[in-house]
Amino acid sequence: MRWQFWIDRGGTFTDCLGKDPHSGHIKVAKVLSSDRAPLTGIRQLLHLNDDEPIPPCDVRMGTTLATNALLERHGTPCALVITRGFRDLLEIGSQARPQLFELDIRKPERLYQGIIEVDARCDANGQVIAQPHWEALTGELQRVRAGGIDSLAVVLLHAYRAPGLEKAIGKLARQVGFRHVSLSAEVAAEIGLVGRGDTTVVDAYLTPLIHDYVTALLAEMPGSTLRLMQSSGGLTEAHHFRGRNAIFSGPAAGVVAYAHVAKENDYERAIGFDMGGTSTDVSCYENEFEREYETEVAGVRLRAPMIAIKTVAAGGGSICRHNGFRFTVGPESAGADPGPLCYGRGGASELTLTDVTLALGRVAPDRFPFPLRRKSVDQALAEFADTLAKQNLARTPREIAAGLFYIANANMAEAIRQVSVAKGRDARDYALVVFGGAGGQHACPIARRLGIRTLIFDAYAGVLSAYGMGLADVSWHGEADAGWRVLDENTMGQLKPEYDTLSARGRQRLRSEGFSDANIIVRHRIDLRYRGTETAMTLEAGHDDITALREEFDAAHRRLFGYARPEFPIEAVAVRVEVVGHAPSLIKGRPTVAAFDNATAPVPQPLRREQMWSGSQMELAPLFRREDLAPGTRLLGPALILESTGTIALDRGFELRVGANAQLVIHDRTPEVSAVGAGHTAVDPILLEIFNNMFMSIATQMGSTLRRTALSTNIRERLDFSCAVFDRNGGLVANAPHIPVHLGAMSESIKGILAAYPAPRPGWVFATNDPAAGGSHLPDITVITPIHDGNGELIFFTASRGHHADVGGITPGSMPPFSNTLSEEGVVLRALPVVRDGAFNE
């Protein structure tokens, strides 16, 4: 009869849920975040004083400790041991510049403080070709340790194939006195020295910090158990928790929770929409968690299983401005202090999204922890209107607020498209599970914009990540290199030893955490890609039917990238094993809203009625407290529902119904087809921003797809390519942040195509590198696609330019200095149709 505590330690607040062992009731506490916040929350729920001991209990927790330490560079001082000749490799990285057009380049601060180069390496087959001088290495390690560094990352070339040298160095380092040693072959056993090296350094940088924190917590909870949430969405015992698995600890639990909430309501597909004060997190769930195995966080590459979460800089504190041409919302934020203007704190001087929603009546001041000041918001909107009037762009304060609200919703809808539509999913087939303090103010118009018809608000929406701790399973993930074998009927048999080894390790781990074999599930997965490309896709590998696996891969590639190569060789990149421990659920099954489809309850008397912006106009809307809505209650919008941690704005055309557990399910009864921009001919600062973001998103996704499917090293690794959208005359509309010299000349290339083909037909695609028609140098080959509407009228162009290693000149490369004619550099492509009527003209 022990208390269960589920805790999400966030950056500002720590949410604590406690399950009473006697009544089974779940109690909630929210405290300001600090190192002691979990202990404070537990004591609040148990009604204990700060100096009273905490009785033995079972704690599950997610934390932003590792994320913040990585972002702020406040981790444990560590050193790096790396194969000689590669001391600068991790600092150089991939040479990619995230902000290509920035003139003030600020490289992320590196994580390691000392470097030891060592003569230790294997070849690509795992054969040792260089052994360290052990006595000299001992002296180097002693020197670093004497400097106060007690955490070490060991990264050797090809160690994923033969970890023996790393293990020997690790053993020596521990003998010298290093408290923690991270070995790359154990942390990320895959090819790719930069990604493996970065991940190992992150692990050495964060793991000692986490272990110290965990030790301090357990010291004040003698006899208690502590499990921590990993980025993969699974829990692990505290002493097994490592830095590489800690980055998305809190948000991952939110995904676990909203997936459970969706399934309670018979939705196997769901999109999570978590909107807070600074940013919005969106993710997609479809019968299982979508995971990524390599991502970049705070300037370093991380190879670890992570639930795929897209974050955009749009929250209640996002600053709203007019930049002289168009309205903008974010990415800058007013933060929690001074925060929005309506908070009335000193230092607040700019309009924010929370101010806008207050002006539109979509936020009521009733349940805020402090009074909201409407007067300062009205004054800011009036000044905004005066500024526009001076530029002959007359807008009323209400129109300005509505426009800013519209832009913010468009930005967040675009983020949802990136986790759904951009990955071959139809967002209309998903339910939108809404949580976070600001989500309810924006959810209805965003859902309508995307064609999503169902929205779900759980009773624990304000503390959903903490709730997810109580729902999560315990899990272990392992990976191994698959040797780039070409997929054939022998592949799975050849990989069986790797699967068996990883499965045995995972089972042993979960047995040590108290799970019996009957409660352990093992899942096999495999990373596949077309041979020579950059991006692998992870598929289930629970069978030996290679034909079915091939068909599944081709279908997944077609869904994600728009095409497949049925006869092209596929290679196996990595094997992955997930071992899951299922325990009896800590949360009893709750009756769902669907169980109350035919139930009715009277609509309570509203607190009052106020004007609220709904759709495209202000309407008189009733205000209700959420706890006053009994199971079976049905409401038609417009209405405002006030919660203890947020506000839900129910727009016209939406119907809300209440379930037994206070879950709210909202259906859009009158879906509208978006007609943004129809009939507009004058410059509009609102639509200008909407379309700017749309076109920029197209160009960015073009570049992402090009990189992930390219065979060329220049394109997939050096990123020597550019993508852009042009109007029907070849004028630049929008470009992604790619190579400037490409972007400056591609417009002329399109005009060269139009000169040769004044009326390009639908289904044609051209290639050109002609220096006399916009080409830069011959290896830069541009592919140009004219886009037509349903009537066959040309409406715009897309173009992609990439640097090819060789175009057939007198020497490999480009522009040999002793060439006399253009043909000596290579072949010239002059408006060459490479696709005619949809058929590739190989």
Side-chain angles (χ1 to χ4, degrees):
M1 301 293 288
R2 290 155 65 111
W3 274 80
Q4 304 281 340
F5 293 104
W6 314 321
I7 302 171
D8 175 32
R9 179 190 160 172
T12 304
F13 287 101
T14 293
D15 300 330
C16 304
L17 302 184
K19 182 182 177 184
D20 189 321
H22 303 287
S23 66
H25 293 160
I26 297 175
K27 301 179 180 180
V28 181
K30 186 182 282 279
V31 300
L32 287 172
S33 288
S34 68
D35 286 349
R36 297 184 58 80
L39 302 172
T40 302
I42 290 172
R43 286 192 167 98
Q44 277 192 18
L45 292 171
L46 295 177
H47 304 290
L48 298 174
N49 295 325
D50 290 344
D51 56 349
E52 290 185 87
I54 295 174
C57 55
D58 298 318
V59 181
R60 296 174 165 210
M61 188 174 79
T63 175
T64 58
L65 179 71
T67 311
N68 294 340
L70 185 59
L71 291 171
E72 298 168 6
R73 297 303 197 254
H74 290 159
T76 303
C78 66
L80 171 66
V81 174
I82 195 165
T83 299
R84 189 174 301 282
F86 293 90
R87 66 176 294 119
D88 299 322
L89 179 74
L90 301 188
E91 188 168 359
I92 294 171
S94 65
Q95 302 185 63
R97 281 178 47 193
Q99 302 296 330
L100 191 62
F101 299 154
E102 284 286 340
L103 298 180
D104 183 15
I105 303 168
R106 298 183 181 182
K107 297 177 64 176
E109 180 184 341
R110 73 183 193 187
L111 304 183
Y112 50 90
Q113 296 185 7
I115 305 175
I116 299 175
E117 286 189 285
V118 60
D119 292 309
R121 66 185 294 173
C122 303
D123 63 16
N125 298 314
Q127 298 296 315
V128 176
I129 58 176
Q131 289 270 7
H133 188 286
W134 296 106
E135 185 175 345
L137 178 58
T138 301
E140 287 287 296
L141 290 171
Q142 288 173 337
R143 176 184 60 79
V144 172
R145 182 66 191 90
I149 295 176
D150 66 353
S151 183
L152 191 70
V154 182
V155 182
L156 301 183
L157 199 64
H158 300 305
Y160 66 96
R161 287 283 175 87
L165 285 176
E166 283 194 352
K167 290 181 178 180
I169 293 173
K171 181 178 179 181
L172 177 61
R174 292 185 182 94
Q175 292 173 351
V176 166
F178 282 88
R179 180 167 64 111
H180 176 82
V181 179
S182 294
L183 307 179
S184 76
E186 295 176 353
V187 171
E190 301 175 59
I191 193 171
L193 190 58
V194 173
R196 179 160 51 89
D198 272 354
T199 306
T200 307
V201 171
V202 167
D203 195 70
Y205 188 67
L206 298 178
T207 300
L209 181 73
I210 292 170
H211 284 178
D212 289 346
Y213 178 62
V214 165
T215 301
L217 286 180
L218 288 173
E220 296 203 41
M221 300 187 298
S224 299
T225 65
L226 176 60
R227 283 184 167 135
L228 291 163
M229 174 60 67
Q230 304 173 98
S231 303
S232 63
L235 296 159
T236 189
E237 289 285 355
H239 60 279
H240 289 145
F241 193 49
R242 302 192 65 157
R244 76 155 191 156
N245 296 320
I247 301 303
F248 289 160
S249 178
V255 177
V256 172
Y258 87 68
H260 176 83
V261 169
K263 286 190 288 186
E264 279 189 320
N265 291 280
D266 297 326
Y267 289 95
E268 294 295 329
R269 298 175 176 179
I271 293 171
F273 176 60
D274 178 9
M275 183 180 178
T278 304
S279 62
T280 296
D281 293 333
V282 296
S283 57
C284 205
Y285 174 82
E286 188 172 358
N287 297 315
E288 64 178 2
F289 303 127
E290 181 187 5
R291 293 192 175 98
E292 296 175 339
Y293 294 94
E294 181 172 323
T295 189
E296 186 171 313
V297 181
V300 294
R301 288 190 181 188
L302 270 177
R303 287 190 171 177
M306 298 183 183
I307 290 182
I309 298 172
K310 172 72 175 177
T311 301
V312 292
S318 294
I319 294 174
C320 303
R321 293 173 176 151
H322 179 252
N323 68 0
F325 299 97
R326 60 182 190 263
F327 289 4
T328 62
V329 180
E332 296 88 354
S333 174
D337 189 8
L341 287 173
C342 61
Y343 285 10
R345 294 175 180 165
S349 60
E350 293 195 85
L351 199 69
T352 69
L353 191 54
T354 294
D355 299 319
V356 166
T357 52
L358 178 65
L360 295 175
R362 299 179 72 88
V363 173
D366 301 55
R367 308 194 77 166
F368 256 77
F370 46 82
L372 296 180
R373 301 188 180 185
R374 175 67 183 266
K375 183 177 180 180
S376 57
V377 175
D378 291 339
Q379 182 179 345
L381 286 169
E383 293 172 356
F384 209 124
D386 289 341
T387 301
L388 291 178
K390 293 174 183 177
Q391 301 177 19
N392 296 320
L393 294 171
R395 296 288 187 280
T396 67
R398 182 172 293 167
E399 289 173 334
I400 292 169
L404 293 166
F405 179 72
Y406 188 75
I407 289 168
N409 293 340
N411 291 345
M412 290 182 281
E414 179 58 36
I416 293 175
R417 285 193 182 96
Q418 290 183 29
V419 301
S420 57
V421 178
K423 294 186 177 182
R425 304 182 178 109
D426 190 339
R428 295 171 296 182
D429 297 334
Y430 292 71
L432 189 70
V433 184
V434 185
F435 51 111
Q441 301 158 31
H442 299 263
C444 285
I446 288 174
R448 180 164 285 170
R449 186 178 185 86
L450 295 167
I452 297 174
R453 299 174 182 241
T454 302
L455 302 87
I456 304 174
F457 294 79
D458 191 75
Y460 293 106
V463 290
L464 203 66
S465 290
Y467 185 64
M469 305 295 169
L471 295 164
D473 291 319
V474 176
S475 69
W476 175 91
H477 288 259
E479 68 284 324
D481 177 66
W484 296 10
R485 293 178 173 88
V486 174
L487 189 67
D488 58 28
E489 62 275 4
N490 300 316
T491 303
M492 300 312 293
Q494 294 168 344
L495 296 175
K496 187 176 184 302
E498 281 81 2
Y499 280 117
D500 291 345
T501 299
L502 292 172
S503 299
R505 284 176 55 195
R507 286 182 180 276
Q508 183 180 1
R509 167 68 65 82
L510 265 68
R511 290 189 192 111
S512 71
E513 296 196 17
F515 289 89
S516 65
D517 286 345
N519 292 324
I520 295 176
I521 297 175
V522 180
R523 298 190 178 105
H524 290 177
R525 298 185 174 93
I526 187 168
D527 284 8
L528 300 175
R529 66 187 181 192
Y530 287 127
R531 188 173 63 187
T533 59
E534 171 72 7
T535 303
M537 291 188 290
T538 304
L539 303 177
E540 293 289 336
H543 54 78
D544 296 331
D545 188 342
I546 298 301
T547 300
L549 191 60
R550 167 94 207 202
E551 291 174 352
E552 184 181 355
F553 174 83
D554 284 340
H557 197 279
R558 183 178 292 107
R559 184 180 68 246
L560 185 58
F561 298 118
Y563 71 97
R565 298 170 175 168
E567 304 302 324
F568 204 86
I570 296 173
E571 60 188 11
V573 181
V575 299
R576 302 189 185 278
V577 171
E578 179 187 11
V579 184
V580 178
H582 282 293
S585 177
L586 301 177
I587 299 174
K588 294 180 180 179
R590 305 183 298 174
T592 67
V593 177
F596 286 77
D597 278 345
N598 299 317
T600 59
V603 176
Q605 194 69 22
L607 300 177
R608 62 182 182 278
R609 297 177 186 273
E610 288 191 355
Q611 291 290 325
M612 181 187 94
W613 182 266
S614 177
S616 59
Q617 61 185 4
M618 297 296 288
E619 298 197 49
L620 197 61
L623 276 69
F624 301 94
R625 285 191 298 258
R626 180 165 180 164
E627 57 268 27
D628 293 340
L629 302 179
T633 302
R634 293 171 182 261
L635 288 178
L636 290 174
L640 210 61
I641 296 92
L642 310 181
E643 303 180 293
S644 59
T645 57
T647 305
I648 299 172
L650 185 70
D651 283 315
R652 176 169 293 281
F654 288 86
E655 181 188 36
L656 175 150
R657 52 192 175 91
V658 187
N661 50 3
Q663 279 184 345
L664 308 181
V665 172
I666 296 173
H667 290 288
D668 189 351
R669 297 303 186 191
T670 57
E672 296 178 358
V673 177
S674 176
V676 176
H680 284 271
T681 55
V683 173
D684 186 304
I686 298 170
L687 292 179
L688 193 61
E689 175 68 357
I690 297 293
F691 283 108
N692 172 66
N693 292 338
M694 285 182 174
F695 294 138
M696 178 69 76
S697 175
I698 291 171
T700 301
Q701 290 183 44
M702 287 170 62
S704 175
T705 300
L706 178 61
R707 177 191 180 188
R708 295 169 72 182
T709 59
L711 299 177
S712 166
T713 302
N714 278 343
I715 292 174
R716 72 183 192 214
E717 293 184 19
R718 291 186 58 242
L719 311 184
D720 196 348
F721 64 85
S722 298
C723 299
V725 179
F726 301 83
D727 65 23
R728 70 179 72 189
N729 299 314
L732 178 64
V733 173
N735 60 265
H738 296 150
I739 305 299
V741 67
H742 293 174
L743 299 167
M746 274 201 284
S747 179
E748 295 302 316
S749 294
I750 294 173
K751 292 174 182 177
I753 298 295
L754 286 171
Y757 295 88
R761 294 168 50 187
W764 282 46
V765 181
F766 302 89
T768 180
N769 66 348
D770 187 357
S776 41
H777 63 152
L778 295 188
D780 281 343
I781 299 176
T782 307
V783 175
I784 297 170
T785 305
I787 307 296
H788 300 75
D789 65 13
N791 298 319
E793 181 181 352
L794 177 66
I795 51 177
F796 64 95
F797 288 89
T798 65
S800 303
R801 177 170 291 182
H803 182 119
H804 289 244
D806 186 21
V807 291
I810 55 177
T811 62
S814 66
M815 293 189 291
F818 42 83
S819 56
N820 297 303
T821 63
L822 184 60
S823 62
E824 290 180 318
E825 185 184 0
V827 64
V828 180
L829 310 175
R830 291 187 170 92
L832 178 70
V834 293
V835 176
R836 295 173 185 260
D837 300 323
F840 181 42
N841 216 5
E842 190 170 4

